[in-house]
Amino acid sequence: PFKHKTLPWESNHPELSAWLVALSDAEVDTLETNSEQLAHQLRRFLPPTAALLELCDLPRLSPTNSPQKLKGPTPGVPGRKWAQIESFAATLPEVSGPWIEWCAGKGHLARTISQLKHTPIQCLEWDLSLCTKGQAMATKELLPLTFSPTDVLQNPALTPGSNLVALHACGDLHRALLHRGTEHRATSISYSPCCYHRTQSPAHSPLSQLGQRLLSFPFSAQDLRLAVHETVTAPTHDRRRRVQNSVWRLAFDELQRELRGVDHYKAQPSFRAGELSLSFPEFCLTLCEQNQLPPPSPLLLQQILKRGEARHRKVTRQDLLRHLFRRPLEVWLVLDGALYLQEQGYQVKVGTFCDRLVSPRNLMVQGLVQQT
């Protein structure tokens, strides 16, 4: 909807299109954050949606460790992030062997696991500064953590029989975890994926053999981005800034179509946070210069801002239809990874490790290698 002013399905489903456009702002806000209610409302237009979210209802993974053993949140870790770490660590399996955190950052998860399981942990992290800070924190807390500056995408050597963990590993990072972990016969692989669209590949093919048979086309990065396109946990000011950015970009899209005489969307570069503090005229002038377009008149700017606001109102309503498929797409991708582990000889569990309001990326896969 952001790129196309008219969508093909509007003519095929006029009643659905009319219902979406007539929604109030309050109704849109509610449906954006309530997938169950959205599916219920769309059932009368698209009956198969009734079963769609039922298939996404995964069980909550049972805790295996008591978080009461923990000293409390690490200074500098926000409350919601700490809740994610605590819940993830509490559900890890009881297994023997060395532990490795994949893409460890400063090692917040590793320090938590070390406290719960009284075990040394190796932390793999490509950013040397994060390794240095994480090692200093672990040393201060007398925790047996070792940080190794490592690019996990470059096939790092892993000790066979290790237990690999990754909380919110993005795109290629969690796919590399699966490939490297199974190649080195890790005893266990426990991960929560995130940002599926962050990949160096132009298209993403399924990992599992079954997924490859079921899907006749690769996912594009735009397809994968849909799975994480929500703002359940975003602060109010971030949401407000996102709305402003959307309105202004849609307004500029109206402007560039008019100034170029070409009624087609033209992608624009992302603005850095500081640049979003510009006024709307400055925003448009900056993009006009970048696109070698003549500066618009103040009157035209007033007109296109109103058109941008109208476009945004329509886009947010039509996007609800796409949002219906966010969780099903994410569950499909997670199950594909789980099936890949199963095909490599692992016994697999899939479920949630925390509430959605703590993190919408609350899916977790646990694989235990089957002994032969």
Side-chain angles (χ1 to χ4, degrees):
F2 196 92
K3 295 182 179 180
H4 302 281
K5 298 171 74 171
T6 303
L7 300 173
W9 61 261
E10 291 183 77
S11 58
N12 297 332
H13 300 276
E15 293 182 355
L16 170 59
S17 180
W19 175 77
L20 286 170
V21 171
L23 290 172
S24 67
D25 290 343
E27 289 172 322
V28 171
D29 289 342
T30 298
L31 295 176
E32 277 185 337
T33 56
N34 192 321
S35 300
E36 291 78 12
Q37 188 171 340
L38 175 62
H40 177 75
Q41 294 281 4
L42 290 174
R43 283 177 61 180
R44 49 193 160 132
F45 307 107
L46 303 170
T49 62
L52 196 59
L53 290 187
E54 291 179 15
L55 294 170
C56 300
D57 188 15
L58 299 177
R60 181 71 174 261
L61 295 173
S62 300
T64 56
N65 300 277
S66 172
Q68 294 178 352
K69 299 177 183 177
L70 299 175
K71 301 175 183 177
T74 300
V77 179
R80 186 178 285 119
K81 183 63 177 178
W82 171 250
Q84 296 167 22
I85 292 171
E86 187 179 56
S87 297
F88 183 91
T91 61
L92 292 173
E94 291 293 342
V95 288
S96 59
W99 287 80
I100 298 175
E101 185 182 1
W102 193 263
C103 307
K106 295 179 185 178
H108 298 314
L109 174 62
R111 290 201 305 280
T112 304
I113 297 172
S114 182
Q115 292 179 56
L116 285 174
K117 297 186 175 295
H118 307 288
T119 183
I121 300 182
Q122 182 182 12
C123 300
L124 304 184
E125 170 56 46
W126 75 273
D127 189 326
L128 180 59
S129 66
L130 294 181
C131 289
T132 302
K133 293 175 182 176
Q135 191 68 69
M137 295 171 72
T139 301
K140 182 178 180 180
E141 297 172 12
L142 303 179
L143 292 174
L145 271 60
T146 302
F147 282 77
S148 303
T150 305
D151 183 351
V152 297
L153 297 179
Q154 299 301 317
N155 197 14
L158 301 176
T159 304
S162 298
N163 300 288
L164 303 178
V165 295
L167 173 57
H168 293 157
C170 294
D172 284 342
L173 300 178
H174 69 252
R175 286 188 278 273
L177 169 70
L178 293 178
H179 290 306
R180 307 295 178 254
T182 55
E183 287 173 4
H184 293 275
R185 302 310 290 169
T187 295
S188 70
I189 300 175
S190 303
Y191 74 101
S192 172
C194 186
C195 299
Y196 307 88
H197 58 284
R198 292 190 176 178
T199 173
Q200 296 175 353
S201 303
H204 168 68
S205 297
L207 294 166
S208 67
Q209 296 175 19
L210 178 59
Q212 292 169 11
R213 291 200 300 270
L214 290 174
L215 195 68
S216 58
F217 59 91
F219 289 119
S220 69
Q222 184 175 341
D223 295 331
L224 298 174
R225 188 183 294 273
L226 175 61
V228 295
H229 187 239
E230 55 192 322
T231 56
V232 173
T233 60
T236 302
H237 66 274
D238 284 350
R239 298 188 193 188
R240 193 179 300 118
R241 182 185 299 166
R242 191 173 290 118
V243 169
Q244 175 191 294
N245 187 40
S246 177
V247 170
W248 286 12
R249 283 183 171 276
L250 287 167
F252 182 78
D253 183 53
E254 292 286 321
L255 178 62
Q256 66 86 15
R257 289 172 191 249
E258 184 160 327
L259 294 178
R260 291 170 62 228
V262 180
D263 194 18
H264 290 292
Y265 177 82
K266 187 174 186 291
Q268 302 298 325
S270 298
F271 267 57
R272 293 187 292 272
E275 293 176 308
L276 293 177
S277 62
L278 300 172
S279 67
F280 176 65
E282 291 171 333
F283 176 87
C284 289
L285 286 173
T286 299
L287 286 179
C288 281
E289 290 177 2
Q290 292 178 0
N291 288 270
Q292 298 181 333
L293 295 172
S297 67
L299 178 59
L300 180 56
L301 285 177
Q302 293 177 16
Q303 294 172 350
I304 65 123
L305 180 57
K306 292 180 180 178
R307 283 152 58 181
E309 292 168 346
R311 279 272 303 278
H312 176 75
R313 188 179 189 281
K314 184 178 181 182
V315 165
T316 54
R317 282 148 180 79
Q318 291 183 330
D319 257 342
L320 289 174
L321 185 57
R322 297 174 65 242
H323 292 176
L324 176 68
F325 298 94
R326 290 183 302 198
R327 191 63 163 186
L329 173 59
E330 180 170 25
V331 169
W332 199 100
L333 293 166
V334 169
L335 291 178
D336 175 50
L339 283 168
Y340 175 82
L341 279 177
Q342 194 175 72
E343 292 168 357
Q344 303 304 312
Y346 284 74
Q347 185 177 1
V348 182
K349 289 182 181 180
V350 181
T352 63
F353 67 93
C354 68
D355 293 333
R356 184 168 174 269
L357 291 178
V358 174
S359 173
R361 308 280 74 74
N362 64 348
L363 297 179
M364 183 177 183
V365 178
Q366 292 182 357
L368 291 177
V369 71
Q370 300 186 45
Q371 303 297 331
T372 57

